[in-house]
Amino acid sequence: MIKQTLSIRLSLMMVLAIGMLLIVALIVMFHFSWLAMKAEARGDAEQTLEGTSQQIDNILMSVEQSAGNIYFDMMRHLDEPELMATYCERLVRGNPHIVGCAIAFKPYYYPDKELSMVYVHHKNYKIDTNRDAELVTQTTFTDRPYTEQVWYSEPVNTGRALWTDPLKNEATEDEPLVTFCLPIYDKSRACVGVLAADLPISLLSQIVLDAKPSPNGYSTMLADNGSYIVHPDTTKLNYQTVFYQMHKGADHTVLEAAEAMVAGEEGYKPFYVDGKKWHVFYKPFRRAAAPGRITSDLGWSVGVVYPNDDIFGMFNNLLYMLMAIAFVGLLIFYLLCCTITHRQLLPLIMLTDYAKRIANGNYHEKIPSSNRNDEIGRLQGHFQSMQASLAKHIDELEELSTTLKERNEELAKANEQAQTADRMKTVFLHDMTNQMVEPSNQITANVTSLCDLYESGNMEEAEPVIDTISQQSKVMVEVLKDMLQTADNKTETGGKP
């Protein structure tokens, strides 16, 4: 059908040309749109990262300031160990983010008081938003394993304030914590203990995750050992590190993104979880500088995670919509082209039909005139002139054929008459010849006899012979006259008998 229909072929060629131009335009447009959307997503992620870092740093700074305020007041009353529990309670009650406080001294620092450590924690902090629930106080009088804990050993050994990586074990009552530790110095500038303030990372996560970066995105934070500090899945806050997922068959792209974050790099990486594509934008977590604040690098990294649909979902939907619109548009364009082209080619279809009729011998089919001035109109006019000229020539040929036929009939009759005349002439000559044979034979015989008589000298008998020869000669002369007379008559009558 395509090969036999010119309108369909022309429409398909036009649709193909328009479609190619449209595809090129869409590819260029969507390429630059994708780059612009990617840059915008990166900018939004950087702002979210900065906001998340500031939000976390504000929480850490509030803990540091609260602990510092208690610390400087406590330093004036080191010789009053009975006040240590009071300071712990004041710190826990005074800051909504702190759920526990420990003031630990070197073993037997107070030998006469038998005090080593006081620990106060908020019993129901998860459900108590007014901070009025019961506080639990634990007091240690002898040497305990706390001296082996990171929150105690590192400040004592380094002599500086620090934040610990997430603590996840039985000692934290299955509550993952990050702890701010301040070494305690006596009047001789010797480190005699540690003040520690506990910040639950589940609470930190909840505060950070309340501000969602996108409908399905979330913020995360990793310690330098890969432990989660912030993550929407609370089960990962308890015991897992990011590298634990690799044992569960996670995609290798997860490991690449985790290693980049733990290494303290800045940038973004795609990764796949359960076949779904995600993007993580990350950078090292840096604390803001403040007077008297120690801003050493914690080795933490903060990241913002977006599913691919949150970044490019609208872009992909727009792409699919435009593809559907382009397809429907090309289909409508094709139908319009077919309709318009078919209407424009109707004269050609008519001329094709007339040409077929003319080829079948209908030379006098009258082709209608056209009022169009384009190529098809001129073609129809030339075709009309050709048909009229062809009909005229056919009429002339038919007339000439009729004339030639009549002349052929006359020539046939003349030929037949000539043949008849030839036959009659042959018969006539044969007749005349037969009439002249006998007199000729007699003349010959008489001449022979006359010669014999002349030799013998008998002239008397020769006379009758001479008379016979004379008579026979006259007969032949008459026959010859008749032949000449007949020839003259045929000449005068045009050769007709």
Side-chain angles (χ1 to χ4, degrees):
M1 185 176 179
I2 294 176
K3 292 181 178 180
Q4 295 178 357
T5 309
L6 180 59
S7 60
I8 295 180
R9 289 204 306 274
L10 291 175
S11 301
L12 287 176
M13 286 189 288
M14 286 188 286
V15 169
L16 180 61
I18 296 297
M20 291 179 64
L21 291 175
L22 182 61
I23 290 173
V24 172
L26 288 177
I27 289 175
V28 173
M29 181 185 69
F30 277 103
H31 173 70
F32 286 102
S33 298
W34 183 83
L35 293 178
M37 188 167 292
K38 183 177 179 182
E40 182 180 357
R42 191 181 184 95
D44 292 342
E46 290 176 355
Q47 293 180 0
T48 304
L49 281 174
E50 187 64 28
T52 302
S53 298
Q54 290 179 2
Q55 188 177 16
I56 295 174
D57 191 43
N58 289 338
I59 296 173
L60 298 183
M61 184 178 289
S62 71
V63 174
E64 293 173 9
Q65 289 176 345
S66 297
N69 294 335
I70 295 296
Y71 176 84
F72 287 111
D73 191 17
M74 181 190 69
M75 290 296 291
R76 295 194 297 268
H77 302 280
L78 283 180
D79 55 350
E80 302 177 53
E82 63 275 5
L83 296 178
M84 297 301 114
T86 303
Y87 285 123
C88 287
E89 291 182 7
R90 284 173 55 188
L91 182 57
V92 173
R93 291 186 185 277
N95 191 303
H97 303 134
I98 298 174
V99 296
C101 175
I103 299 177
F105 293 93
K106 289 183 178 181
Y108 308 108
Y109 177 71
Y110 297 110
D112 56 338
K113 300 295 184 179
E114 296 182 350
L115 175 64
S116 293
M117 183 184 76
V118 173
Y119 177 62
V120 176
H121 70 278
H122 198 295
K123 187 176 181 181
N124 299 313
Y125 78 92
K126 293 183 179 179
I127 61 174
D128 177 32
T129 58
N130 296 320
R131 309 297 291 177
D132 292 330
E134 178 184 359
L135 295 181
V136 179
T137 302
Q138 298 175 354
T139 304
T140 302
F141 295 99
T142 58
D143 189 8
R144 297 294 183 185
Y146 71 83
T147 57
E148 300 175 2
Q149 297 295 322
V150 175
W151 63 268
Y152 178 86
S153 60
E154 285 197 14
V156 170
N157 294 332
T158 60
R160 59 185 178 85
L162 56 86
W163 281 91
T164 65
D165 286 337
L167 304 176
K168 304 176 182 180
N169 51 44
E170 293 78 2
T172 62
E173 299 180 354
D174 294 329
E175 175 62 41
L177 305 170
V178 288
T179 303
F180 177 65
C181 308
L182 281 171
I184 301 173
Y185 293 91
D186 60 8
K187 294 179 181 180
S188 63
R189 302 302 299 169
C191 183
V192 296
V194 174
L195 184 150
D198 295 331
L199 174 65
I201 60 177
S202 59
L203 181 61
L204 183 64
S205 293
Q206 186 60 44
I207 294 172
V208 173
L209 295 174
D210 282 342
K212 295 176 67 66
S214 71
N216 300 298
Y218 59 90
S219 299
T220 185
M221 178 178 279
L222 298 180
D224 56 1
N225 63 356
S227 296
Y228 287 105
I229 302 175
V230 174
H231 198 278
D233 186 356
T234 56
T235 60
K236 295 182 178 181
L237 301 176
N238 292 329
Y239 304 104
Q240 291 185 12
T241 67
V242 68
F243 303 109
Y244 178 78
Q245 299 182 47
M246 301 310 299
H247 300 289
K248 298 295 183 179
D251 193 85
H252 68 91
T253 54
V254 176
L255 177 61
E256 294 175 1
E259 289 179 341
M261 291 184 66
V262 171
E265 298 178 5
E266 182 176 355
Y268 88 98
K269 283 186 179 295
F271 65 95
Y272 293 86
V273 177
D274 298 330
K276 187 176 181 180
K277 189 175 182 180
W278 297 72
H279 297 267
V280 57
F281 298 83
Y282 52 87
K283 74 173 188 175
F285 173 71
R286 296 182 178 91
R287 294 183 290 172
R293 187 185 191 192
I294 299 175
T295 57
S296 59
D297 187 10
L298 300 179
W300 297 353
S301 180
V302 62
V304 179
V305 181
Y306 296 95
N308 190 67
D309 290 341
D310 280 12
I311 300 177
F312 300 107
M314 293 183 61
F315 176 82
N316 294 333
N317 292 335
L318 179 61
L319 175 62
Y320 299 146
M321 185 180 299
L322 284 180
M323 289 178 63
I325 292 174
F327 176 78
V328 174
L330 287 176
L331 180 61
I332 295 175
F333 179 73
Y334 167 74
L335 295 177
L336 289 176
C337 286
C338 280
T339 302
I340 295 173
T341 307
H342 179 73
R343 291 180 61 86
Q344 294 297 317
L345 294 180
L346 283 177
L348 290 181
I349 299 175
M350 179 194 67
L351 293 178
T352 302
D353 185 57
Y354 274 103
K356 185 176 180 180
R357 295 180 185 178
I358 291 174
N360 292 331
N362 300 317
Y363 303 108
H364 293 84
E365 287 279 353
K366 185 173 179 58
I367 298 176
S369 301
S370 174
N371 55 0
R372 298 174 55 168
N373 296 322
D374 56 4
E375 290 82 357
I376 296 179
R378 292 195 294 272
L379 176 63
Q380 186 172 348
H382 295 325
F383 204 92
Q384 187 181 30
S385 300
M386 182 191 70
Q387 183 270 335
S389 177
L390 181 61
K392 179 179 178 182
H393 286 298
I394 292 299
D395 291 341
E396 292 177 353
L397 288 175
E398 289 179 351
E399 183 179 355
L400 180 60
S401 176
T402 302
T403 302
L404 290 176
K405 184 176 180 181
E406 293 176 353
R407 291 184 178 180
N408 285 335
E409 291 176 354
E410 293 176 358
L411 288 175
K413 291 181 181 179
N415 184 44
E416 185 179 357
Q417 292 176 357
Q419 289 179 357
T420 302
D422 287 340
R423 288 195 299 271
M424 293 178 63
K425 179 176 68 176
T426 301
V427 172
F428 174 74
L429 291 175
H430 185 68
D431 231 4
M432 292 297 165
T433 302
N434 290 336
Q435 293 181 18
M436 292 178 66
V437 169
E438 184 177 356
S440 176
N441 290 335
Q442 291 179 1
I443 290 172
T444 301
N446 291 329
V447 170
T448 301
S449 299
L450 182 61
C451 289
D452 291 340
L453 290 176
Y454 181 75
E455 289 178 356
S456 63
N458 190 0
M459 298 300 296
E460 292 180 359
E461 295 181 0
E463 290 182 0
V465 174
I466 292 170
D467 292 335
T468 301
I469 291 172
S470 177
Q471 291 177 358
Q472 294 296 330
S473 298
K474 290 180 179 179
V475 171
M476 291 180 66
V477 170
E478 291 296 329
V479 171
L480 290 173
K481 286 182 178 180
D482 290 339
M483 290 177 64
L484 292 173
Q485 185 64 38
T486 302
D488 291 339
N489 291 335
K490 287 182 179 180
T491 300
E492 292 177 358
T493 58
K496 296 182 180 181

